Amino acid sequence: MSKEYTVDVAVAGTGGTGLAAADAAASNGLSVIAIEKLDQIGGNTRISSGFFAIDTKEQREAGLHLSTQEAIRQLNEYNHYLNNGPLTKIIVENAKPTLEEVEKLGMGIKLNPTACTTQFAHRGNPYAGGSYHMYQDKEKAYPRIQKSLENKGVKILFNTTMQDLIQAEDGTITGLTAKAENSEDITIHAKAVVVATGGFGGDKKRVDRLMHTDRLRKLGVPSMGEGMDALEKAGGINIDSHALIHAAQLAKSKVTQKTSKKHLAGFSDNPLTRVLLTPLMWVDPDGRRFTNEDTVYDTVLWANAAYNVGGMYYILVDKTTLEAFTNGQEMTVSKAGPGGSTKKGDFISLADKAVDDGIAFKGMSLEELAKNAGFDQENLLNSVKRYNKAVKFKNDIEFAKRGIDLKFSVEEGPFYAIKAQVAYLGTVGGVRVDDHFRVLDSSFKPIKGLYAGGANAGGYYEGQSYPAYEGLASGFAWTSGRLAGLAAVEDMKSKVNKDGSIK
């Protein structure tokens, strides 16, 4: 079985990128078909919580007066200028009108001011923490968005997975092929194709190869890289794809896979998450302390630090610390990432259960713990000795941890090493594009008819890391999609003959 369609614009994927691209094209009078491999729109955007934008009405109403110039400067510096400068500029400048369009489509938006940021490290930076426009009632919003697009003439084919791009002999893209759930072959002839399939976060083996470790924890929608493969086959150059590493999880813990009003994706209803989310002593798989644990208050820096030791590390605690947590004598619990359970619990019993479940190790002495966990004994003993000295004098000469967080030493057995893994929410980065999201070939020339945005477009990130600005990936998804759709509109206008036919 097979079906063929002919339209102006074909959009592959209906996350924020694809939805915005379809809206931009349809709003300008073009015929649009969007394909979606799942049975609903939203893609990986459904597990995001908000949108990074500057100088919005929400910010002005809150008394925030932020400049796009300063936001661009901060992002360029964060990325060490390895990002695409013109692309970053156009994204930041167009995030506000894109957000306004998303609101018109049916998404509720509420600003999360800096004082309310869940990432405590951002409290002093309104750009990192005060530019987060939180999505409201997402479950009801996406049906409204779908209805808005359908009213504009957009046709959506669900349970339909992109297979390949159709490319003429001169390299021009003339459509795409796809496969429906019932094995029906779909061919869509189009004057422009926007690839918005969301990277390849569902392909863990591919992510493991890319990130050079198999210790990362996967969350999110299973995008398998169909779009990326097709883009590269058509001549696109993958310049910076990487996993969007995002906080960490207790190993093997049961976590949520979507966000809600109360919790982010990755939330685990286990009181032991408060051990995960406080700056206790961390060691790498060889028993060596490796970072300033205060990074737990910043989702990205936390993930980056742990990724540097392979994406897996251990939280080192003793009996006294766990008893203190049982009695509520804990440090400020980070809300970066999914957040922690507030339930009471016997933390020694919880740690013992973690040992039984194979996600923690125990020893009556540090030597026994090193043997059971596979740590280098000398590394562990020396690391604990230095850490305890830092706690005693409130002075961390190794990693400059704040004195207020040097609260719990590691001195009284039994001792525990609780395993944690860096999580990732799909992939970001992708093929080289210009500042209007036309895909470029190896000669930096546009591949005619081909556009990409969101987790298929490169140039917004440094590579391997993700700027610690809340809502950045989601804002980029919607905004890049809208700009890609508008570029397709503009390019088509330049090809229109006086009689209205396409050149």
Side-chain angles (χ1 to χ4, degrees):
M1 294 189 298
S2 64
K3 279 188 179 179
E4 291 196 25
Y5 302 87
T6 299
V7 292
D8 293 321
V9 179
V11 178
T14 63
T17 305
L19 295 172
D23 176 60
S27 296
N28 283 277
L30 300 184
S31 57
V32 181
I33 284 183
I35 62 171
E36 171 55 54
K37 71 183 296 185
L38 302 180
D39 60 2
Q40 62 181 9
I41 65 169
N44 233 25
T45 309
R46 279 184 177 267
I47 69 169
S48 67
S49 297
F51 190 125
F52 175 87
I54 298 296
D55 193 32
T56 63
K57 68 178 186 295
E58 289 86 0
Q59 288 168 333
R60 292 193 297 271
E61 288 169 358
L64 277 175
H65 301 283
L66 307 182
S67 75
T68 56
Q69 293 93 334
E70 175 61 16
I72 293 165
R73 186 194 68 77
Q74 289 192 25
L75 289 172
N76 286 339
E77 285 199 352
Y78 195 106
N79 284 305
H80 300 100
Y81 288 87
L82 287 166
N83 56 313
N84 181 326
L87 181 148
T88 299
K89 177 179 183 293
I90 199 170
I91 285 289
V92 173
E93 292 176 344
N94 281 274
K96 178 177 74 169
T98 301
L99 183 67
E100 292 168 352
E101 184 63 22
V102 171
E103 290 181 278
K104 289 178 186 177
L105 285 172
M107 179 66 79
I109 299 292
K110 182 179 179 181
L111 182 70
N112 192 51
T114 313
C116 299
T117 177
T118 58
Q119 300 200 49
F120 302 147
H122 297 174
R123 284 176 171 169
N125 185 340
Y127 290 88
S131 300
Y132 200 26
H133 298 74
M134 305 289 287
Y135 302 133
Q136 304 295 304
D137 297 320
K138 288 190 299 181
E139 292 304 310
K140 295 179 180 178
Y142 281 105
R144 289 196 296 267
I145 292 171
Q146 181 177 333
K147 185 66 174 176
S148 295
L149 291 175
E150 289 172 343
N151 288 342
K152 293 182 180 183
V154 177
K155 182 178 181 63
I156 304 175
L157 305 179
F158 291 104
N159 301 305
T160 302
T161 302
M162 180 179 182
Q163 297 292 296
D164 210 346
L165 292 162
I166 304 171
Q167 193 165 24
E169 288 187 10
D170 66 355
T172 300
I173 299 302
T174 61
L176 62 80
T177 59
K179 180 78 74 173
E181 187 178 42
N182 62 0
S183 297
E184 186 176 58
D185 291 318
I186 306 292
T187 300
I188 303 175
H189 303 284
K191 305 177 186 78
V193 175
V194 180
V195 179
T197 52
F200 48 91
D203 187 345
K204 189 175 187 305
K205 289 183 179 179
R206 187 169 174 175
V207 172
D208 290 350
R209 290 195 303 270
L210 180 75
M211 301 298 284
H212 310 290
T213 178
D214 61 359
R215 294 173 171 178
L216 303 178
R217 181 86 176 270
K218 177 170 72 72
L219 295 174
V221 174
S223 302
M224 297 300 290
E226 300 91 348
M228 284 298 302
D229 292 341
L231 286 165
E232 291 186 73
K233 183 178 177 182
I237 308 301
N238 190 341
I239 58 172
D240 59 6
S241 285
H242 59 280
L244 199 176
I245 53 177
H246 182 272
Q249 308 287 343
L250 294 174
K252 298 183 182 179
S253 57
K254 183 179 180 180
V255 298
T256 58
Q257 296 293 315
K258 63 180 181 178
T259 59
S260 66
K261 288 184 178 179
K262 293 183 178 180
H263 307 303
L264 299 180
F267 177 79
S268 173
D269 192 22
N270 180 347
L272 205 59
T273 53
R274 296 205 290 282
V275 171
L276 173 75
L277 290 161
T278 46
L280 298 166
M281 181 182 178
W282 299 347
V283 297
D284 67 16
D286 208 28
R288 183 185 291 106
R289 185 170 174 239
F290 61 92
T291 194
N292 177 349
E293 295 88 354
D294 286 337
T295 58
V296 77
Y297 296 122
D298 182 304
T299 301
V300 174
L301 299 185
W302 174 16
N304 286 353
Y307 170 67
N308 192 48
V309 293
M312 185 176 75
Y313 67 99
Y314 295 84
I315 306 155
L316 206 63
V317 291
D318 66 0
K319 175 185 175 183
T320 301
T321 300
L322 293 176
E323 288 176 341
F325 271 67
T326 299
N327 295 327
Q329 300 169 18
E330 57 199 26
M331 291 178 282
T332 300
V333 178
S334 175
K335 293 183 180 179
S341 169
T342 58
K343 292 194 305 185
K344 294 182 179 180
D346 181 333
F347 279 75
I348 290 179
S349 295
L350 290 167
D352 283 332
K353 185 177 186 308
V355 173
D356 292 339
D357 291 341
I359 62 172
F361 298 95
K362 180 179 180 180
M364 297 308 296
S365 65
L366 289 171
E367 290 83 358
E368 183 181 10
L369 178 65
K371 179 180 178 181
N372 292 339
F375 298 147
D376 179 278
Q377 181 175 302
E378 184 177 355
N379 284 344
L380 183 66
L381 293 176
N382 288 336
S383 290
V384 170
K385 181 180 179 180
R386 289 191 294 268
Y387 188 78
N388 287 342
K389 184 178 180 181
V391 172
K392 181 178 179 180
F393 293 102
K394 302 298 180 188
N395 181 25
D396 179 14
I397 63 173
E398 287 190 294
F399 299 109
K401 187 174 182 174
R402 298 185 308 168
I404 193 174
D405 292 329
L406 291 166
K407 183 174 181 179
F408 294 105
S409 58
V410 183
E411 298 184 81
E412 183 181 358
F415 302 93
Y416 297 84
I418 302 169
K419 188 186 299 184
Q421 290 175 279
V422 172
Y424 66 93
L425 304 174
T427 60
V428 290
V431 296
R432 182 180 286 117
V433 294
D434 68 9
D435 56 353
H436 286 79
F437 295 90
R438 303 177 183 94
V439 178
L440 304 181
D441 62 19
S442 59
S443 298
F444 289 73
K445 299 297 183 183
I447 299 171
K448 293 180 180 179
L450 185 58
Y451 309 80
N456 294 121
Y460 199 47
Y461 311 103
E462 178 180 352
Q464 298 290 47
S465 184
Y466 168 77
Y469 288 71
E470 298 171 38
L472 200 71
S474 197
F476 178 71
W478 289 103
T479 307
S480 64
R482 177 171 169 270
L483 291 172
L486 291 175
V489 171
E490 186 63 28
D491 291 345
M492 265 184 232
K493 284 182 179 178
S494 68
K495 299 176 184 177
V496 177
N497 294 306
K498 290 182 179 181
D499 63 0
S501 63
I502 300 294
K503 293 179 181 178

